[in-house]
Structures are given as C-alpha cells and as structure tokens.
Amino acid sequence: MTGASRGIGRAIAERLAADGAQVIVHYARNDDLAKETVAAIENAGGRAYAVQAEFEQGVDALFEGLREDRLDIVVNNAAILGGVLGTVNQEQFDRVFAVNVRAPYFVIERSLPLLNDGGRIINISSAVVRIALPDLVYSMTKGALDTLGFSLAPILGPRNITVNTVSPGVTDTDMNAWLRDDPTGGAAVTDLTALGRIGRPEDIAAAVALLASEDSRWITGHVLDVTGGYFLG
Ligand code: NDP
C-alpha cells in the first residue's frame, strides 16, 4: 500500500486492515505520520508495519523492507502534483512521472512473483483524466495509470488477478490544502458535485475495499469514478 502515511492512502490502509489485511504502510519522508497510521491500525486490532522508500530513487527499498514473501493486494496510491504550464522544468517533469507512473509500474512488476493468484491490483488515478485542469503533467500521469490498468488486466487474467483503477474527485487531504483556507468550504467544487460535498479519504477507501473484496471478482480493467458525481454536466 503505497503512500499510506496520510490522506487517502492512510484511509485505505486503515480500511483494508479493518477488513482483515496485514498492511504494509509505505511512505516517503513522514516517519511520524507512518508510525501514526501503524498505531491506529494496531489500536483497532489490525496488523501493519511501515516501510520507507522515496520513489524517485526507485522501488527497491520498498521491496527490501517487506517481511513476507506473499501478497494478496497491491495498491498504488502515492503521487505528487506537477504545476501549471510554464512552471515545470524538464527535471521536475521527469520527477512527477517517476513518482506517479514509473514507480507504480515497477511496484507491480516487482509484486507479480509475490502476488497470489486471485489477487488484486488497484491503482489510484484521478478525475482529472476526464476534467481538463491546468496541471497538465499530473493529469498526463493519471492518464498513463488508467492505460496501465486497462492494458494489464488481460495479461493477469489467466492468474485470476484483477487490475482496477479508482479515480477520486476533490478529496480533503494535504494535496488540497487550499480547501482548509477557503471560507466557502470549497463551494466551487460542491456546487458541481451531485452529492453536494467534498470527498473524504474514507469515501475513496470504501471503493478500494470493494475492489479488493471477493465481491469484485468479475470486475477487471475498470476505471471507477469515485467523485460523488463531480462535473457530470
Ligand atoms: P497526499 O499528498 O495527502 O499523500 C501523499 C502520499 O504519498 C503520502 O503518504 C506521501 O508520503 C506519499 N509520497 C509523496 N511523495 C512520494 C514520493 N516521492 N515517493 C514515495 N511516496 C511519496 O495525497 P492524497 O492522499 O491527496 O492522494 C492520494 C492519491 O489520490 C494520489 O494518487 C492522488 O493523485 C490521488 N488523488 C487525490 C485527490 C485529492 O483530491 N486529494 C483527487 C484525485 C486523486 P509522505 O507522507 O512520507 O510524504
């Protein structure tokens, strides 16, 4: 479970642990927050441990930190934003792709020998693939992730491994710190959302839990919009 120290990743980690999984709480820099996630899971009666790995340097450190040699569920959640056109140099462009696309690709590749047949791969994309926003680089990485899931599903079908993608809308996390200072409470977003509120990390975790469950056994190669009906027109 990548990027599980905070935000959506933490909520997914806590939910999957509550559903019975032992969770590997991956993070990049925030040791304290990763420890908090592990403690929250353990205090609720679940099992978890933290592994640090900065993805721009590759995914090896994550796999060196694993304590077991079998996996049931892989969730690629960690990601970073880019910036608007004209503010992102080539080095920054490469970094966003390294974290958001290269890392999930190699996490999956490294996971495959460990992943049990009948397992689950779930990638966290974004509604930016259908809504034009100014952060072009970030949006492009999420488009790549959608393609990865769609193209990988038939390759892993013979092993009964499903590959699905979850696309959140605007969700209250550090990635949307502006929401916390917005006196309107994000009205510009809620007004365009069918269910009339900002997403919570737990909303996304519930969708991931569904795709991780036995009930999703016949769903693969799918992109699930988890936005509360954002920007439906
Ligand atoms: P946050 O910024 O709150 O958390 C990001 C997580 O990724 C943290 O655990 C962080 O670890 C980890 N991370 C950041 N940089 C790196 C890196 N270089 N290498 C490894 N891990 C890293 O993100 P959100 O919870 O908001 O987003 C989670 C996912 O949901 C992302 O894929 C995002 O694109 C997607 N999403 C989010 C939306 C939103 O509105 N929030 C909307 C649509 C999609 P650390 O704490 O150590 O830095």
Side-chain angles (χ1 to χ4, degrees):
M1 164 78 236
T2 72
S5 48
R6 53 199 166 97
I8 291 170
R10 175 173 172 161
I12 296 170
E14 292 189 30
R15 174 61 194 261
L16 294 181
D19 289 353
Q22 164 163 284
V23 180
I24 300 157
V25 173
H26 160 266
Y27 67 103
R29 288 168 296 272
N30 281 303
D31 300 86
D32 290 349
L33 295 180
K35 282 181 192 148
E36 269 181 32
T37 305
V38 171
I41 288 171
E42 289 177 342
N43 289 339
R47 296 170 299 144
Y49 63 90
V51 178
Q52 192 273 339
E54 164 69 53
F55 279 160
E56 210 184 344
Q57 292 145 21
V59 300
D60 292 348
L62 170 56
F63 283 85
E64 282 157 17
L66 298 197
R67 295 180 193 164
E68 56 285 295
D69 55 10
R70 303 309 305 166
L71 299 171
D72 293 307
I73 306 162
V74 174
V75 182
N76 278 303
N77 166 77
I80 55 174
L81 294 172
V84 302
L85 188 64
T87 67
V88 180
N89 64 30
Q90 289 193 29
E91 193 183 325
Q92 291 163 330
F93 182 103
D94 289 347
R95 177 158 193 271
V96 182
F97 266 81
V99 175
N100 295 7
V101 180
R102 191 178 71 194
Y105 176 90
F106 284 104
V107 164
I108 290 169
E109 191 180 80
R110 289 285 301 265
S111 297
L112 286 180
L114 313 179
L115 190 59
N116 289 320
D117 288 359
R120 300 280 187 265
I121 296 175
I122 301 163
N123 297 321
I124 308 301
S125 178
S126 169
V128 296
V129 299
R130 67 171 172 85
I131 301 164
L133 289 181
D135 187 339
L136 302 183
V137 186
Y138 173 78
S139 300
M140 289 160 69
T141 66
K142 294 305 187 180
L145 215 49
D146 285 10
T147 303
L148 171 63
F150 173 74
S151 305
L152 185 59
I155 294 170
L156 299 184
R159 289 182 56 194
N160 208 20
I161 294 170
T162 67
V163 188
N164 289 295
T165 307
V166 166
S167 289
V170 178
T171 310
D172 185 7
T173 72
D174 295 343
M175 202 174 256
N176 285 312
W178 63 270
L179 272 174
R180 294 164 193 170
D181 303 324
D182 181 359
T184 72
V189 175
T190 56
D191 289 352
L192 292 170
T193 302
L195 295 178
R197 64 170 173 82
I198 300 291
R200 303 175 191 124
E202 296 74 19
D203 298 327
I204 316 306
V208 171
L210 171 67
L211 291 172
S213 74
E214 173 61 15
D215 281 348
S216 73
R217 60 190 173 275
W218 200 233
I219 303 171
T220 194
H222 186 67
V223 179
L224 184 62
D225 185 279
V226 187
T227 66
Y230 181 52
F231 220 85
L232 295 179

